[in-house]
Amino acid sequence: MKVLGACPLDCPDACSWVVTVEDGVAVGLRGNKEHPVTRGALCVKVNRYLEQVHSPDRITYPMRRVGRKGEGRFERIGWDEALDEIAARLTGIVDEYGGEAIWPFHGTGSLGYIQGLEGFSGRRFFNVLGSSLHDPTICSISGTLGMKYTLGTSGGMDPEDFAKSELILLWGTNPLTSGHHVWKFIQDSGAHTVAIDPVRSRTAERCDEHLAPLPGTDAALAFGLMHVIVSMGAEDTEFLAEHTVGWDEFRSRIAEFTPDRVAEITGLPQERIVELGERIARTRPTAIRASQGIQRHAGGGMALRALACLPGVTGDWAIPGGGLHYSTTGHFKLNVPELVRFDLLPNPVRTLSQTRIGEGLLETADPPVKALFVIAANPVGSNPDQNRVIEGLSREDLFTVVLEHFPTDTVDYADIVLPATMQPEHLDVLAAYGNMYLVWNEPAVDPPGECLSTTETFRRLARRMNLTESSLYDSDEDLARQLLKGFDVERLRSDGFLKVEPGPVPADKLQFVSARAEMAGHDPLPSYIPPADQGDGLVLISAASHYFLNTTFANNPELRRRAGEPRVTLHPDDAAARDIADGTPVLVSNDRGSFEAVAEVSDRVRPGVAATSKGRWRKLTGGPTPNATVEERDSDFGGGAVFHDNRVRITRQGSRSTAPRPVAISSGTDT
Ligand SMILES: Nc1nc2c(c(=O)[nH]1)N[C@H]1C(S)=C(S)[C@@H](COP(=O)(O)OP(=O)(O)OC[C@H]3O[C@@H](n4cnc5c(=O)[nH]c(N)nc54)[C@H](O)[C@@H]3O)O[C@H]1N2
Ligand SMILES: Nc1nc2c(c(=O)[nH]1)N[C@H]1C(S)=C(S)[C@@H](COP(=O)(O)OP(=O)(O)OC[C@H]3O[C@@H](n4cnc5c(=O)[nH]c(N)nc54)[C@H](O)[C@@H]3O)O[C@H]1N2
Ligand code: SF4
Ligand SMILES: [Mo]
């Protein structure tokens, strides 16, 4: 039997997949050949998804902590016992501190609307209790707001239109690792491709040109390119007059960014800036693909704002194959309010930010957070300031419930662990954030052991607590139909996917001057906000690993083998200045923390920059991971995280390694 499903992971592509089931067991998984973006291919990680589904390490029954927090010692308990204990603890906490003392902490392990983050699975239950709201700030929020301020929508180009582009800038994005399906459209176009990235990533390696600016300087570079375009008189005066607001003010801002000044800020040769500006000026249509890497900085929101203005100056927004593709989420007009039902909240409640779990657990006072539900998240591995996250999770008076597939670093801090279903075992619906397709995931097999879906877990908990609100008991199919009101659900279900037409971009006129940005306390015009971490040392970029997806898959033996040991890549000049050779064990540190890695000396990174990757587990690495060095600090817009705005010292550790070099399937850092 073949069952159509969809990849739930936090990846722009939201692949449609086909599960082969024999005797009730999922024996095969491949990409859906009919889906115009998936085109039959999954990726190096998800090709191993069924190994994870059948892994002996899966959590398949509820557990209660018996050791100290962090030790990871648990005893098996039954669902009845688990639900009784959770219900009793929650009732006590709500009575004493109020519902806001509960924090449902949703992660990105599943982006499903029914079981995962996009529909805040379980939120109806938390609404009835009056729990704090959870703002998913960790990933893309700064860039999303930057897009919205400029364009009135965060949804940009349909990436299938890249096939019509003549010039494509891949700006702070590494799609060959982080969402490879867009690459086919880029290749089909035959366009001239330019990577803009401090690291010669897998993607930059394949582009026609590569510019390596200093991290966090992209807004200045965008201004410099627009300066060249305007100096040539190549701006599209008709588009500017008809479709934009604030051109005169914006033109004055552009004038401040002369190529020589931009060369100084970005560390790029002035000729390269001028050359690229001239190329953009004469090439229609020009498209930009930017994603999340570029906005994990102090000025990340402003960077996207400036980037979104560039196709306004050239008029590319009006041409098929021109514009900017950041995220397509804004184009899906799903009925999320009816799914999430914030109207069930008894009164207005505070919002806690995903990125600031350290602060949330250690400093929130009125009321303090007394119960934490971790749902498809691994904050010990994924959040900034790992040591503080651990300090927060170690609080003896905090009641922590973790819904998980695997015994992650975060599970070790749980009071109660609940076994969760994986994608072939539950129903879900996803909307891609890197293309225009809705995808349906039909359950294909029964869950192993006592695993329950997120929705079923909260239905049972609601019953245990005698909650009477009837919508808490809606079935998964009811929920999907509520979300998809107005869509052809039957077609989506039978084909596995459904294309949605993108709305107009800009939604109205392009806002060079943004009243919304001003109202939120920002410069009404886009500006350049320099990196916040200006200390000594190298800027550490910890981007997507080719073999893991955040911390998901980082326990898969074969993928770990292929990723090799933790590495940090330095430019030969920076390595020489520290007496570090290729293969030297090093300590990467700053005032917040440190981690160990093996140095790789390569001109794949520009001087001043060091590169590593995200996702490893502490317990499998034997110590802290790069997030021990990252600060829990907000970016400019929306409280985004600043993973790549992070200065570190790199020093030799002991003598030169005599151990064999890691198995490196790719050359270099596993990005
Ligand atoms: N294989 C794999 N795929 C993934 C993920 C994964 O962990 N592994 N993660 C998923 C998730 S959650 C997300 S949000 C996306 C993230 O994927 P991307 O959006 O691609 O983000 P990053 O990997 O953080 O960074 C992308 C590139 O930006 C560069 N970069 C960093 N700082 C700057 C800067 O200041 N300026 C410029 N121009 N470039 C910069 C980095 O060197 C890197 O090569 O990928 C998703 N896909
Ligand atoms: N240094 C550094 N750190 C980063 C980043 C970076 O660029 N650099 N990127 C950040 C980004 S973009 C993101 S999005 C975050 C991601 O951070 P998180 O949201 O913490 O995501 P993961 O680390 O993948 O952990 C997700 C967990 O959910 C579990 N899970 C998956 N599906 C389900 C399900 O259906 N039910 C339940 N109950 N559990 C499930 C998985 O087993 C996994 O352990 O990491 C951030 N961390
Ligand atoms: S992680 Fe991305 S590329 Fe891989 S299968 Fe999932 S959606 Fe497709
Ligand atoms: Mo992300």
Side-chain angles (χ1 to χ4, degrees):
M1 181 177 69
K2 309 259 189 221
V3 182
L4 286 173
C7 177
L9 298 172
D10 187 352
C11 166
D13 296 359
C15 287
S16 170
W17 72 29
V18 186
V19 187
T20 306
V21 180
E22 280 173 17
D23 301 327
V25 180
V27 295
L29 181 71
R30 63 165 177 77
N32 183 355
K33 291 197 180 76
E34 310 299 323
H35 187 288
V37 177
T38 305
R39 295 201 216 175
L42 299 173
C43 64
V44 69
K45 311 169 294 296
V46 176
N47 285 336
R48 299 193 171 272
Y49 193 83
L50 290 185
E51 288 176 15
Q52 298 292 91
V53 169
H54 300 133
S55 166
D57 296 337
R58 250 187 97 174
I59 297 169
T60 54
Y61 44 79
M63 298 189 292
R64 178 196 288 126
R65 178 168 61 87
V66 290
R68 276 182 293 108
K69 290 207 175 189
E71 264 181 18
R73 289 201 293 126
F74 295 95
E75 63 179 359
R76 179 173 185 168
I77 55 174
W79 268 103
D80 278 338
E81 222 179 323
L83 293 173
D84 282 342
E85 181 161 340
I86 296 169
R89 290 294 298 263
L90 288 186
T91 306
I93 287 168
V94 173
D95 286 350
E96 190 171 350
Y97 298 94
E100 277 183 308
I102 304 168
W103 185 356
F105 187 95
H106 284 94
T108 64
S110 162
L111 293 192
Y113 277 88
I114 309 304
Q115 308 297 345
L117 177 72
E118 299 285 22
F120 295 102
S121 187
R123 186 65 226 186
R124 287 181 180 185
F125 168 83
F126 290 109
N127 288 340
V128 169
L129 297 189
S131 311
S132 289
L133 295 172
H134 171 76
D135 195 3
T137 46
I138 208 161
C139 177
S140 59
I141 192 153
S142 317
T144 299
L145 286 171
M147 292 285 285
K148 277 190 183 161
Y149 290 147
T150 310
L151 303 168
T153 166
S154 62
M157 285 176 71
D158 176 349
E160 289 178 66
D161 281 349
F162 283 151
K164 302 173 195 143
S165 308
E166 293 290 331
L167 170 61
I168 301 176
L169 312 182
L170 291 119
W171 203 329
T173 184
N174 183 14
L176 283 174
T177 279
S178 59
H180 70 85
H181 291 83
V182 72
W183 191 252
K184 293 190 281 278
F185 300 108
I186 294 174
Q187 267 183 325
D188 289 351
S189 71
H192 184 84
T193 49
V194 183
I196 303 174
D197 194 315
V199 179
R200 196 164 71 241
S201 66
R202 212 173 263 266
T203 303
E205 195 91 59
R206 302 255 204 112
C207 287
D208 297 313
E209 268 185 71
H210 174 212
L211 269 67
L214 284 164
T217 64
D218 302 278
L221 178 58
F223 277 115
L225 297 172
M226 290 187 271
H227 192 284
V228 175
I229 293 162
V230 172
S231 306
M232 292 166 68
E235 69 272 27
D236 183 335
T237 46
E238 208 172 298
F239 184 88
L240 289 168
E242 282 172 29
H243 301 290
T244 71
V245 174
W247 170 239
D248 286 340
E249 293 95 317
F250 189 59
R251 199 209 327 240
S252 310
R253 176 68 43 100
I254 292 174
E256 296 167 22
F257 288 86
T258 54
D260 59 326
R261 180 174 169 224
V262 171
E264 201 170 303
I265 295 172
T266 58
L268 290 170
Q270 189 177 327
E271 318 81 77
R272 296 291 304 277
I273 299 166
V274 173
E275 213 179 288
L276 181 58
E278 289 173 350
R279 188 186 282 277
I280 298 170
R282 64 172 186 265
T283 315
R284 302 277 74 69
T286 289
I288 302 171
R289 167 59 171 151
S291 56
Q292 288 73 41
I294 182 178
Q295 48 99 62
R296 310 197 200 286
H297 293 275
M302 279 297 189
L304 259 298
R305 233 181 125 187
L307 259 62
C309 290
L310 209 160
V313 173
T314 55
D316 276 300
W317 278 122
I319 311 171
L324 165 63
H325 165 49
Y326 173 71
S327 161
T328 49
T329 302
H331 291 307
F332 293 88
K333 303 297 177 210
L334 301 172
N335 201 351
V336 180
E338 189 170 336
L339 177 69
V340 178
R341 295 291 308 272
F342 287 124
D343 60 293
L344 295 175
L345 280 165
N347 39 268
V349 293
R350 70 178 170 203
T351 300
L352 297 168
S353 169
Q354 180 176 13
T355 299
R356 304 197 69 131
I357 188 173
E359 178 188 77
L361 294 181
L362 296 170
E363 292 173 30
T364 303
D366 189 22
V369 175
K370 298 297 270 187
L372 179 74
F373 275 75
V374 179
I375 305 166
N378 183 7
V380 171
S382 289
N383 271 65
D385 209 341
Q386 194 164 82
N387 295 318
R388 225 165 107 83
V389 174
I390 289 174
E391 198 188 326
L393 290 172
S394 302
R395 265 178 47 199
E396 275 304 329
D397 66 321
L398 177 71
F399 178 61
T400 301
V401 179
V402 180
L403 283 67
E404 252 300 345
H405 302 149
F406 290 104
T408 64
D409 289 320
T410 301
V411 163
D412 290 351
Y413 294 86
D415 292 283
I416 300 281
V417 183
L418 298 177
T421 45
M422 291 181 75
Q423 194 73 347
E425 301 149 9
H426 56 222
L427 184 147
D428 217 333
V429 176
L430 288 104
Y433 67 93
N435 61 60
M436 294 308 310
Y437 294 85
L438 280 171
V439 278
W440 180 276
N441 182 74
E442 189 72 22
V445 293
D446 289 335
E450 299 179 5
C451 292
L452 293 182
S453 64
T454 315
T455 45
E456 182 58 21
T457 299
F458 286 105
R459 282 190 287 259
R460 292 197 189 186
L461 196 52
R463 205 164 286 128
R464 191 65 48 139
M465 293 179 77
N466 300 316
L467 302 180
T468 52
E469 165 57 40
S470 63
S471 71
L472 297 181
Y473 303 99
D474 286 354
S475 71
D476 292 352
E477 203 179 314
D478 292 339
L479 295 171
R481 288 186 190 280
Q482 290 158 15
L483 172 77
L484 295 168
K485 209 169 261 176
F487 289 87
D488 188 343
V489 178
E490 306 320 319
R491 224 190 94 203
L492 171 61
R493 200 167 186 173
S494 62
D495 292 355
F497 60 89
L498 188 71
K499 188 166 185 175
V500 168
E501 280 312 311
V505 187
D508 184 13
K509 288 191 175 189
L510 184 147
Q511 314 281 314
F512 290 123
V513 174
S514 162
R516 282 178 69 186
E518 193 174 12
M519 253 156 44
H522 309 300
D523 191 334
L525 282 170
S527 64
Y528 163 59
I529 298 176
D533 199 346
Q534 291 285 5
D536 294 331
L538 303 174
V539 180
L540 181 70
I541 292 178
S542 48
S545 158
H546 196 66
Y547 300 101
F548 313 138
L549 201 136
N550 295 318
T551 68
T552 306
F553 293 107
N555 64 336
N556 178 283
E558 176 58 16
L559 291 170
R560 283 179 67 208
R561 189 187 72 76
R562 294 183 73 176
E565 63 190 317
R567 275 163 286 164
V568 61
T569 311
L570 300 83
H571 187 271
D573 296 348
D574 290 324
R578 290 163 179 76
D579 192 23
I580 289 168
D582 198 57
T584 305
V586 292
L587 187 72
V588 183
S589 65
N590 57 27
D591 297 347
R592 295 175 282 276
S594 63
F595 65 96
E596 293 176 4
V598 171
E600 177 183 62
V601 179
S602 162
D603 68 359
R604 289 180 63 246
V605 299
R606 58 156 298 138
V609 172
T612 187
S613 56
K614 62 174 170 176
R616 290 176 191 269
W617 292 21
R618 284 171 66 99
K619 63 171 89 171
L620 298 177
T621 308
T625 57
N627 280 331
T629 61
V630 173
E631 190 174 357
E632 192 178 272
R633 160 167 48 84
D634 289 351
S635 66
D636 49 353
F637 298 167
V642 291
F643 293 108
H644 307 329
D645 186 348
N646 178 30
R647 296 258 179 178
V648 293
R649 296 182 287 273
I650 302 187
T651 51
R652 291 170 61 93
Q653 271 237 65
S655 57
R656 193 173 166 165
S657 172
T658 49
R661 288 304 308 273
V663 193
I665 304 288
S666 65
S667 64
T669 311
D670 59 343
T671 53

